[in-house]
């Protein structure tokens, strides 16, 4: 089966919403995402319109890339955010150089193992390089071994940076990065 790998378009917010809600129902969602299904489902359509537009084709600061099956059904996604030097990231850490940050990685369970995630990552990393990133990073929960194995397989390495999830939980996430060759 062949898939189309492309950036979302702003008017495709209903499909973006549906895929995000599906991701949040995945069994590993509590380890993979910082949002629950209930929180996301409660957002009004205006939230989904704005969220989709910020990562749509032609946007400069972010890009949401999807895998579209031949029947038009979306089966996977990844978003790459650009982080500029001199700013602070979502966790409060200083950004020292221009980098891409991969978030929202999801492939429907029936498509896993097909190589689709590799293709989505290739597209996201290429977009980051094309927009001047010196490295691409991602954050993964310390207990999400499946994701960590995949990230290593596609060239990402742990940097040693630990990101606490919440002051009271004691859980951490790990930064993995891919340096531009």
């Amino acid at each position: 089966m062949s898939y189309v790998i492309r950036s979302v378009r702003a008017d495709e917010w209903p499909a973006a919403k549906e895929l995000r809600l599906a991701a949040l129902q995945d069994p590993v969602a509590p380890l993979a995402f910082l949002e629950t299904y209930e929180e996301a489902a409660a957002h009004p359509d205006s939230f989904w319109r704005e969220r989709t537009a910020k990562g749509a084709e032609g946007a400069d600061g972010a890009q949401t890339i999807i895998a579209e099956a031949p029947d038009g059904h979306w089966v996977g996604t990844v978003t790459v955010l650009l982080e500029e030097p001199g700013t602070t990231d979502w966790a409060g850490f200083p950004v020292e150089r221009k980098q891409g940050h991969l978030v929202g990685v999801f492939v429907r369970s029936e498509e896993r193992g097909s190589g689709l995630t590799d293709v989505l990552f290739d597209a996201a990393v290429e977009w980051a390089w094309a927009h001047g990133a010196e490295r691409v990073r991602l954050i993964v929960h310390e207990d999400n071994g499946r994701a960590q194995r995949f990230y290593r397989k596609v060239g990402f390495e742990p940097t040693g940076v630990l990101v606490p999830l919440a002051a009271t939980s004691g859980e951490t996430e790990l930064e993995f990065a891919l340096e531009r060759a």
Side-chain angles (χ1 to χ4, degrees), residues 6-17 52 66 68 74:
R6 64 174 179 83
S7 297
V8 299
R9 293 182 290 271
D11 64 346
E12 295 177 313
W13 66 268
K17 175 183 176 181
T52 304
I66 56 107
E68 184 177 13
W74 290 10

Side-chain angles (χ1 to χ4, degrees), residues 32 34 61-65 78-84 87-95 97-105 121 124-125 127-129 131 133-140 151 156 161 163 173-178:
L34 299 176
Q63 200 74 179
T64 299
I65 299 166
V78 61
T79 296
V80 59
L81 309 171
L82 285 180
E83 297 174 327
E84 297 292 338
T87 63
T88 307
D89 71 10
W90 65 272
F93 292 102
V95 176
R97 54 193 169 135
K98 190 169 188 172
Q99 61 190 15
H101 184 162
L102 302 184
V103 298
V105 178
F121 263 62
V125 168
W127 186 88
W129 294 158
H131 285 79
E134 297 177 33
R135 75 179 197 142
V136 177
R137 71 179 187 142
L138 53 87
I139 309 294
V140 60
Y151 300 147
F156 284 75
V161 172
V163 180
E173 293 192 309
L174 313 171
E175 180 187 66
F176 279 57
L178 177 66

Side-chain angles (χ1 to χ4, degrees), residues 151-168:
Y151 300 147
R152 286 178 190 271
K153 184 185 100 171
V154 295
F156 284 75
E157 293 293 332
T159 66
V161 172
L162 302 177
V163 180
L165 269 178
T168 57

